[in-house]
Amino acid sequence: MNTDLFGEAPRRASAADIKRVKDLHVQLHAHAHRYYVLDDPQVPDAEYDRLFRELQALEAAHPELQSPDSPTQRVGGKPLAQFASVRHKVPMLSIRTETDTEASGAKNFDTRVRKELGLKEGDPEVEYVAELKFDGLAMNLRYENGVLVQAATRGDGEVGEEVTQNMRTVRQIPLKLPADAPEVIEVRGEVYMRRADFEALNERQREKIAKGAKGEKTFVNPRNAAAGGVRQLDPAIAADRSLSFFAYGLGEITPPEQGGPVFGTHLQLLLTLKSWGFPVAAQTSPAQGATELIAFHENMRRQRDALPYDIDGVVYKVNSLELQRQLGFVTREPRWAVAHKYPAQEQLTTVLAIDVQVGRTGKLTPVAKLAPVFVGGVTVTNATLHNEDEARRKDVRVGDTVIVRRAGDVIPEVVGVMPEKRQEGALQFTMPRQCPVCGSDAVREEGEADYRCTGGLFCGAQRKEAILHYAHRRAVEIEGLGDKLVEQMVDASIIRTLPDLYKLGLTSLAGLDRMAEKSAQNLLEALEKSKQTTLPRFIFGLGIRHVGEATAKALAKHFGKLDGIMGVTAEDAPSTERLAEVDDVGPIVAESIHTFFQQPHNREVVEQLRACGVRWEEGDPAPRAFLPLSGKTFVITGTLPTLSRDEAKNRVEAAGGKVAGSVSKKTHFVVAGEDAGSKLVKAQELGIEVIDEAGLLRLLATAA
Ligand code: IVH
């Protein structure tokens, strides 16, 4: 029996191994098809790589399981039927990936190269060229007599697809080369999309979707968008993708004996390509030995997120073309090049829950709680879903398998879900209508993306902010109560809500950091002093959303008393209109004040503050502006001859009236137009005055 290096007999493949290999074939073929043929990958690259490596490992352990149709025996996928096939004159190889993502992984490559070249310790360093590994797709550009005649994708490395039309739309690709270019030359490089172009494309896609365009979608990342653009049958769509290109190598070229150029090094080749008009990344640089490769890897890792495009690693190539020839190939990978990746920025994981977090200012943010996953160099367990619309757009549900992205220091993001893995019965996410921290109403104002908790004074999440605002110099003013102190007092649970401030004593303060008895005494005095305040300062100090100093002053002037404001908002619907009579107060502000004082907790805090001795001088309410229809409720029904329903409503409201949706005993007038139905009947039953449009216009005219 054969034994391996360690003298152990290799284990025979078990039934489970055989099944797993079959399973991996099916999965890898399916993923490769989605990736290469449909441009619509289901899984992030890292997941594909993982499955691929698992299969490689199984095949290595049990060579009898390796079959010619294994995905490990073929790279890429079949071209789409619609494109013409192109057989590459020189196969488009792939490069071996160094699995170690640590910078030191570069050493393995250098060691292999040195060994292959028969170099001993003490022999000079091998010279390399270090390049970026662009995250796009490989392209072969064929020029004959200086003219771009054909562009082809890599396909399976032997046969690709002809995408000449589409590549002609890429501005960075020269259509014509200078006279010193050889008769035949194939330039190879990467087609990719810059991040800014990608964001702009997705923005355009979102607009199209919002306008109801069918069959449009947003893209998960620049690479998918670029791949989709390259493989468009319609070159106009490819042009719309704003693709970019970097050159990094050669395919066929006129041989020197037929007058073709002679290159000694890879760097020389790149510089020549550059002189012919091809973009070559500025970061490309020569590197002596492993040390400089390691430094390059490290350096680029730091620059990675600042680059205007995605890279997934760096590539090292032996610089001397003669040494490249000596090194040759193993199967389909050159021994003279290696891809050295960075930790993947995208991974798959599952959504354990969707929590809603409340920020310091009351903003509610849905957050996906994830099964821990290592992505972008850290373990991620949370990803923000930003707001309700975003959560809906992505349609993330509990139990879903999602793609998580973390690039640089940017907060981790769910970039997409895999609907095919969704469990049956998974519910769509809905934003809670109550604050998860304090139970107050959560509201989303018109035109706003965010829900906000309205329990500003009471909400635990907003505690620090609320106290600081109240204590502000222009609000109630508590001298010496700054953010450090508030932070400490809240964290130590010495204060929970505003009234607790006035219950502080020397003993509770003395326990705080950097709080000498003298400063504690000063704070208590400042608190005592703050009790005598003014109504506008107090109103401003409550921190009601949209109520700044000017609005607080206007409210105080208009109502004279706090009870006036709170009272008016305690009544139901008409309150917002009464509030809107105040100078400076529009419907959104009115609504915000109304909701604030509707929260029982907020009212309680105000009462407690008064009970603690906070006081101000009150005045008389300003005489109310005469609004002729105020106090009158209208119901509009049927089609009016000239006014639309909205116009009629606006005019009634402008004159101080209220428009209700249904007829009740409280209705004063029913305005009936053509085809008025049940509301008219109800009005007649209740004996409510029914008028027509002309009657309404007369009322409004006397009002004016
Ligand atoms: S050289 C024989 N250089 O990575 C070497 N490839 O498998 C051929 N890639 O899909 C490739 N940046 O498109 C090379 N600077 C670079 C690259 C690069 C990205 C892609 C290439 C191919 C894959 C290598």
Side-chain angles (χ1 to χ4, degrees), residues 35-36 75 91-97 130-139 154 188-191 246-249 266 284 312-317 329 332-334 336-337 339:
Y35 184 103
Y36 286 103
V75 204
M92 289 182 81
L93 304 168
S94 58
I95 21 184
R96 175 188 173 127
T97 298
E131 298 177 11
L132 300 178
K133 186 168 189 306
F134 313 105
D135 203 5
L137 60 160
M139 186 63 57
R154 170 154 163 256
R188 289 181 177 171
E190 198 86 347
V191 176
F246 274 126
Y248 56 61
H266 180 66
T284 308
D312 56 351
V314 291
V315 175
Y316 314 132
K317 298 172 183 171
F329 302 87
R332 311 173 51 119
E333 295 170 349
W336 45 263

Side-chain angles (χ1 to χ4, degrees), residues 19 65 205 236 276 288 309 395 413 464 570 615 671 676 680:
K19 182 168 176 305
L65 295 182
Q205 291 302 104
W276 288 339
Q288 312 297 326
Y309 45 82
D395 192 17
E413 224 199 343
K464 290 175 189 169
R615 60 197 177 269
V671 186
L680 180 56

Side-chain angles (χ1 to χ4, degrees), residues 327-348:
L327 285 159
F329 302 87
V330 240
T331 50
R332 311 173 51 119
E333 295 170 349
R335 285 201 190 85
W336 45 263
V338 81
H340 193 185
K341 293 208 184 180
Y342 294 119
Q345 291 180 324
E346 287 183 7
Q347 290 285 5
L348 283 186

Side-chain angles (χ1 to χ4, degrees), residues 249-261:
L250 278 188
E252 193 187 17
I253 183 160
T254 308
E257 53 278 18
Q258 288 171 34

